[in-house]
Amino acid sequence: MFDKILIANRGEIALRILRACKDMGVRTVAAHSTADAEAMHVRFADESICIGPPSATQSYLNIPALITACELTGAQAVHPGYGFLSEKAEFAQILEEHGLTFIGPKAEHIRLMGDKIAAKETMRRLGVPVVPGSEGGIDSDAEALAVAAEMGYPVLVKAAAGGGGRGMKVARSAEELPRALATARAEAKAAFGDDAVYLEKYLQKPRHIEVQLFADSHGNVVHLGERDCSLQRRHQKVMEESPSPALTPAQREEIGETVASAIRQLGYLGAGTIEFLYEDGRFYFIEMNTRIQVEHPVTEAIYDVDLVREQIRVAAGEKLSFRQKDLKPRGHAIECRINAENPKTFVPNPGLIKYFHAPGGLGVRLDSAIYEGYRIPPYYDSLIGKLIIHADSRAECLMRLRRALSEIVVDGVNTTLPLFEELIENPDIQAGDYDIHWLERWLASQTE
Ligand code: MV4
């Protein structure tokens, strides 16, 4: 096991990683920007080191500064959290070249999954169901028109370097396709410096269901069920739950085994998430994420595991601490993302936390690095906490969430908390009856 881990992130995930390290008796180094000198995880860490000014490009994305920080502190491994450098293959590779361990997958797998065309082709080859579409990239309008005619409209043009919804264009007819291709290409070129695009059948009312995977370097690969992340706004997840209200235990086992088998064939290491669109009882692979995800705690709640601890164990060459047969989901979990944003317009609202009261009680977990008197800096993502509720059933989980929302107080900045109080009273939410467009439609209906 490592003696010392450097945490190359901030906010609630930096604290989450720090807690896992402490539970394992591993010393911690908080690498932080000047804007985060007063952060809770910096105070709780064994050591801290400033890696640059507020701008993320000069601090949390500054690879030379992070390597130097490891050398100065004697940290042997780096946990990148999510965002920032967590899915930069180059970072994983450079750490390795410096004799340091990247707590995450191998650089080759990060690179492979970063190319959405290669990722899809790989998954298809390994027996994972994928969305019907072009085989590889699209080179001409004629090719796109032929593929689209074959599978039928509407179709979706996606960027190979995309993900998270950027560089996507729907074409509802052959007339619309050339323009959709040109726009998607131009946006992809501007956003990613790569104009490669591919074509898929456009699914009109799917759910977003993702499967959690874990692999160690001893050939053990397991799945930890799914998370339903359909409740999104502008490609930002708002509320996630596990298990998905849409799946049966038999469907869970089947898709879990399918993806575990694919990952085993790849020789993957660490935590991974396979994202699917799910419509009319069928799964369609869209992307794979090679990081720990924001919503990992809902999986931790129902499987009673510490996923960050497992990331650290397998990065150190140890075995996973569980086998597939040990993993039995219990009950239901829901996560609410608390953002410092206007709950109606979602405009970020950084500033001073004047008063803070944490909720508590059985089945209530709050992952947050805020405290009374903390000033949320304006430079980073507006996520300030996650409220994770666990109960025996979905109905009890919603009741318990209602209780926790009635207890929590965050004063001084606007947050998304009022949104959840409304959402949990909605009949569709209570019934688990929602797709990826539900939240945007509901928000639009609220402002009319
Ligand atoms: C799709 C789709 C419909 N059909 N692909 C959006 C982000 C990226 N990860 C994939 N996305 C989508 N891909 C096909 N073939 C609809 C979306 C999509 C979406 C997916 C998940 C969650 C929210 C979404 C909101 C809008 C569109």
Side-chain angles (χ1 to χ4, degrees), residues 1 24 214-222 269-270 306 309-323:
M1 184 42 64
M24 300 173 82
F214 238 105
D216 66 21
S217 57
H218 302 268
N220 301 305
V221 180
V222 298
L269 176 69
D306 178 340
R309 171 176 184 264
E310 297 305 317
Q311 282 191 292
I312 296 167
R313 283 175 64 96
V314 304
E318 295 184 10
K319 288 184 176 170
L320 279 172
S321 60
F322 39 73
R323 301 264 177 159

Side-chain angles (χ1 to χ4, degrees), residues 103-168:
I103 300 175
K106 299 167 191 162
E108 63 178 289
H109 292 137
I110 301 174
R111 195 168 287 121
L112 174 68
M113 297 308 165
D115 178 340
K116 306 303 165 189
I117 295 175
K120 187 178 176 187
E121 175 51 30
T122 302
M123 288 301 166
R124 196 187 58 75
R125 182 169 54 79
L126 298 176
V128 177
V130 302
V131 191
S134 56
E135 273 180 42
I138 288 283
D139 296 320
S140 67
D141 284 8
E143 185 186 357
L145 287 162
V147 172
E150 174 80 13
M151 65 188 175
Y153 290 88
V155 298
L156 191 58
V157 186
K158 291 185 172 181
R166 291 189 300 170
M168 286 192 344

Side-chain angles (χ1 to χ4, degrees), residues 13-285:
I13 194 64
L15 183 60
R16 170 72 188 84
I17 297 161
L18 180 125
R19 285 170 169 159
C21 291
K22 291 206 170 184
D23 286 352
M24 300 173 82
V26 173
R27 282 180 293 161
T28 52
V29 179
H32 65 89
S33 73
T34 54
D36 285 334
E38 304 301 319
M40 194 192 294
H41 83 280
V42 173
R43 295 191 194 180
F44 288 171
D46 295 298
E47 289 167 71
S48 65
I49 183 162
C50 184
I51 46 166
S55 155
T57 39
Q58 293 181 76
S59 52
Y60 297 105
L61 294 169
N62 184 342
I63 296 177
L66 287 162
I67 303 281
T68 306
C70 288
E71 289 176 348
L72 287 172
T73 58
Q76 300 142 330
V78 176
H79 198 305
Y82 51 68
F84 296 126
L85 295 169
S86 60
E87 292 181 287
K88 291 274 184 292
E90 181 193 286
F91 182 52
Q93 199 171 324
I94 293 172
L95 284 177
E96 194 183 327
E97 287 162 9
H98 284 76
L100 299 162
T101 303
F102 177 76
I103 300 175
K106 299 167 191 162
E108 63 178 289
H109 292 137
I110 301 174
R111 195 168 287 121
L112 174 68
M113 297 308 165
D115 178 340
K116 306 303 165 189
I117 295 175
K120 187 178 176 187
E121 175 51 30
T122 302
M123 288 301 166
R124 196 187 58 75
R125 182 169 54 79
L126 298 176
V128 177
V130 302
V131 191
S134 56
E135 273 180 42
I138 288 283
D139 296 320
S140 67
D141 284 8
E143 185 186 357
L145 287 162
V147 172
E150 174 80 13
M151 65 188 175
Y153 290 88
V155 298
L156 191 58
V157 186
K158 291 185 172 181
R166 291 189 300 170
M168 286 192 344
K169 281 284 163 289
V170 182
R172 304 205 170 265
S173 64
E175 290 67 52
E176 287 180 19
L177 188 51
R179 198 203 320 231
L181 277 167
T183 316
R185 266 193 212 292
E187 284 184 14
K189 184 79 193 169
F192 319 110
D194 175 2
D195 73 352
V197 296
Y198 61 110
L199 209 60
E200 280 186 352
K201 176 87 186 159
Y202 180 63
L203 303 175
Q204 313 226 26
K205 46 173 182 47
R207 300 177 78 113
H208 171 127
I209 295 180
E210 57 184 35
V211 180
Q212 178 69 57
L213 288 159
F214 238 105
D216 66 21
S217 57
H218 302 268
N220 301 305
V221 180
V222 298
H223 73 85
L224 296 99
E226 80 287 2
R227 296 182 287 261
D228 196 317
C229 307
S230 302
L231 292 172
Q232 311 205 2
R233 179 189 173 269
R234 300 199 183 166
H235 302 295
Q236 294 291 320
K237 293 169 187 161
V238 170
M239 198 169 157
E240 307 96 346
E241 64 179 311
S242 187
S244 168
L247 296 194
T248 65
Q251 283 178 296
R252 172 167 313 108
E253 283 323 301
E254 193 191 337
I255 195 66
E257 277 171 27
T258 301
V259 293
S261 154
I263 284 314
R264 193 174 294 116
Q265 295 173 69
L266 263 186
Y268 189 81
L269 176 69
T273 300
I274 309 231
E275 294 187 352
F276 290 98
L277 296 177
Y278 174 82
E279 191 174 79
D280 298 330
R282 278 195 286 273
F283 288 94
Y284 303 92
F285 169 84

